[in-house]
Amino acid sequence: MPTMIFVNLPVKDLDRSKDFFTKLGYTFNPQFTDENAACLVISDTIYAMLLTEPYFQGFTKRQIADTATTIESIVCLSADSREDVDRLVNTALTSGGTPANDTMEQGPMYGRSFMDPDGHHWEVMYMDPAAVQS
């Protein structure tokens, strides 16, 4: 069985977050979604658990980061093409997200970023497979 990743993110408004990520083309696993949490399906092995702040707080003794002034992580997703990077980020920006950084172009790599409505930083990156040597 491949290793899976479950990124847990606190959210202020679960319905708003679900609406945002649905607009980006993602789905939610209803088996692990209720009024406190939503299981965002990114791929067969990558999930983001969107947890209401009170529910998230139950998993840690530390304070939840104020994403208006601090950053707790940068979640980076791969894309199949430059066009896919642009499509996803443009959709995020027209669906309630905000710009995070300038567009990055370094040789075969192309990336853009956005902040989701809760201030979580997302990067979307494409790397030309012809430039990657095995």
Side-chain angles (χ1 to χ4, degrees), residues 3 5 13 16 32 43 49 69 72 90 109 114 125:
T3 299
I5 185 169
D13 183 330
R16 177 187 67 181
F32 302 105
S43 77
M49 294 301 300
T69 59
E72 78 281 291
N90 289 341
M109 294 190 325
F114 64 90
M125 185 70 61

mmCIF file of all heavy atoms in Angstrom, residues 3 5 13 16 32 43 49 69 72 90 109 114 125:
data_model
loop_
_atom_site.group_PDB
_atom_site.id
_atom_site.type_symbol
_atom_site.label_atom_id
_atom_site.label_comp_id
_atom_site.label_asym_id
_atom_site.label_seq_id
_atom_site.Cartn_x
_atom_site.Cartn_y
_atom_site.Cartn_z
ATOM 1 N N THR A 3 2.224 5.033 0.691
ATOM 2 C CA THR A 3 2.049 5.982 1.781
ATOM 3 C C THR A 3 1.067 7.054 1.345
ATOM 4 O O THR A 3 1.109 7.539 0.219
ATOM 5 C CB THR A 3 3.398 6.622 2.147
ATOM 6 O OG1 THR A 3 4.285 5.589 2.565
ATOM 7 C CG2 THR A 3 3.250 7.657 3.245
ATOM 8 N N ILE A 5 -0.929 10.795 2.476
ATOM 9 C CA ILE A 5 -0.740 11.989 3.302
ATOM 10 C C ILE A 5 -2.099 12.625 3.565
ATOM 11 O O ILE A 5 -2.944 12.708 2.673
ATOM 12 C CB ILE A 5 0.237 13.001 2.660
ATOM 13 C CG1 ILE A 5 0.490 14.177 3.608
ATOM 14 C CG2 ILE A 5 -0.255 13.458 1.313
ATOM 15 C CD1 ILE A 5 1.615 15.089 3.182
ATOM 16 N N ASP A 13 -14.732 28.702 8.386
ATOM 17 C CA ASP A 13 -16.075 28.447 7.869
ATOM 18 C C ASP A 13 -15.993 27.225 6.953
ATOM 19 O O ASP A 13 -15.557 27.333 5.806
ATOM 20 C CB ASP A 13 -16.563 29.684 7.112
ATOM 21 C CG ASP A 13 -17.978 29.548 6.589
ATOM 22 O OD1 ASP A 13 -18.417 28.419 6.283
ATOM 23 O OD2 ASP A 13 -18.647 30.585 6.449
ATOM 24 N N ARG A 16 -17.790 27.419 3.528
ATOM 25 C CA ARG A 16 -17.081 28.310 2.595
ATOM 26 C C ARG A 16 -15.876 27.588 2.009
ATOM 27 O O ARG A 16 -15.619 27.658 0.808
ATOM 28 C CB ARG A 16 -16.643 29.590 3.311
ATOM 29 C CG ARG A 16 -15.840 30.536 2.412
ATOM 30 C CD ARG A 16 -15.280 31.709 3.161
ATOM 31 N NE ARG A 16 -14.258 31.229 4.102
ATOM 32 C CZ ARG A 16 -13.581 31.997 4.924
ATOM 33 N NH1 ARG A 16 -13.823 33.298 4.967
ATOM 34 N NH2 ARG A 16 -12.678 31.498 5.738
ATOM 35 N N PHE A 32 -15.854 10.707 5.552
ATOM 36 C CA PHE A 32 -15.057 11.418 6.544
ATOM 37 C C PHE A 32 -15.383 12.908 6.556
ATOM 38 O O PHE A 32 -14.518 13.747 6.817
ATOM 39 C CB PHE A 32 -13.562 11.179 6.290
ATOM 40 C CG PHE A 32 -13.200 9.726 6.317
ATOM 41 C CD1 PHE A 32 -12.936 9.043 5.143
ATOM 42 C CD2 PHE A 32 -13.164 9.030 7.513
ATOM 43 C CE1 PHE A 32 -12.624 7.695 5.159
ATOM 44 C CE2 PHE A 32 -12.850 7.686 7.550
ATOM 45 C CZ PHE A 32 -12.587 7.012 6.365
ATOM 46 N N SER A 43 -5.901 13.494 -4.467
ATOM 47 C CA SER A 43 -5.555 12.370 -5.349
ATOM 48 C C SER A 43 -5.849 11.085 -4.592
ATOM 49 O O SER A 43 -6.372 11.120 -3.473
ATOM 50 C CB SER A 43 -4.082 12.431 -5.768
ATOM 51 O OG SER A 43 -3.241 11.983 -4.717
ATOM 52 N N MET A 49 -7.589 17.387 5.304
ATOM 53 C CA MET A 49 -8.698 17.384 6.250
ATOM 54 C C MET A 49 -8.940 18.829 6.655
ATOM 55 O O MET A 49 -8.094 19.451 7.306
ATOM 56 C CB MET A 49 -8.372 16.524 7.464
ATOM 57 C CG MET A 49 -8.227 15.045 7.160
ATOM 58 S SD MET A 49 -9.700 14.289 6.440
ATOM 59 C CE MET A 49 -10.915 14.578 7.733
ATOM 60 N N THR A 69 -1.160 36.880 9.828
ATOM 61 C CA THR A 69 0.147 37.424 10.193
ATOM 62 C C THR A 69 1.264 36.383 10.210
ATOM 63 O O THR A 69 2.435 36.743 10.253
ATOM 64 C CB THR A 69 0.087 38.076 11.589
ATOM 65 O OG1 THR A 69 -0.321 37.084 12.546
ATOM 66 C CG2 THR A 69 -0.880 39.249 11.607
ATOM 67 N N GLU A 72 1.851 28.667 8.602
ATOM 68 C CA GLU A 72 2.160 27.416 9.280
ATOM 69 C C GLU A 72 2.730 26.390 8.322
ATOM 70 O O GLU A 72 3.397 25.462 8.738
ATOM 71 C CB GLU A 72 0.922 26.868 9.991
ATOM 72 C CG GLU A 72 -0.096 26.166 9.109
ATOM 73 C CD GLU A 72 -1.028 27.066 8.324
ATOM 74 O OE1 GLU A 72 -1.875 27.726 8.920
ATOM 75 O OE2 GLU A 72 -0.919 27.107 7.093
ATOM 76 N N ASN A 90 -5.899 30.460 -11.440
ATOM 77 C CA ASN A 90 -6.884 31.465 -11.866
ATOM 78 C C ASN A 90 -8.261 31.173 -11.275
ATOM 79 O O ASN A 90 -8.965 32.091 -10.841
ATOM 80 C CB ASN A 90 -6.961 31.542 -13.391
ATOM 81 C CG ASN A 90 -5.734 32.175 -14.004
ATOM 82 O OD1 ASN A 90 -4.965 32.868 -13.340
ATOM 83 N ND2 ASN A 90 -5.523 31.914 -15.277
ATOM 84 N N MET A 109 10.882 24.616 -14.646
ATOM 85 C CA MET A 109 9.833 24.693 -13.621
ATOM 86 C C MET A 109 9.002 25.964 -13.787
ATOM 87 O O MET A 109 9.533 27.035 -14.062
ATOM 88 C CB MET A 109 10.443 24.666 -12.215
ATOM 89 C CG MET A 109 11.098 23.364 -11.896
ATOM 90 S SD MET A 109 11.588 23.151 -10.167
ATOM 91 C CE MET A 109 12.100 24.744 -9.625
ATOM 92 N N PHE A 114 -1.393 30.717 -4.384
ATOM 93 C CA PHE A 114 -2.544 31.455 -3.882
ATOM 94 C C PHE A 114 -2.735 31.138 -2.413
ATOM 95 O O PHE A 114 -2.226 30.149 -1.900
ATOM 96 C CB PHE A 114 -3.815 31.114 -4.676
ATOM 97 C CG PHE A 114 -4.262 29.675 -4.560
ATOM 98 C CD1 PHE A 114 -5.139 29.278 -3.557
ATOM 99 C CD2 PHE A 114 -3.806 28.725 -5.452
ATOM 100 C CE1 PHE A 114 -5.556 27.957 -3.455
ATOM 101 C CE2 PHE A 114 -4.214 27.403 -5.356
ATOM 102 C CZ PHE A 114 -5.083 27.016 -4.356
ATOM 103 N N MET A 125 2.750 23.649 -9.113
ATOM 104 C CA MET A 125 4.021 23.606 -9.833
ATOM 105 C C MET A 125 3.973 22.615 -10.988
ATOM 106 O O MET A 125 3.444 21.503 -10.852
ATOM 107 C CB MET A 125 5.106 23.171 -8.848
ATOM 108 C CG MET A 125 6.499 23.186 -9.385
ATOM 109 S SD MET A 125 7.124 24.840 -9.674
ATOM 110 C CE MET A 125 7.063 25.535 -8.038
#
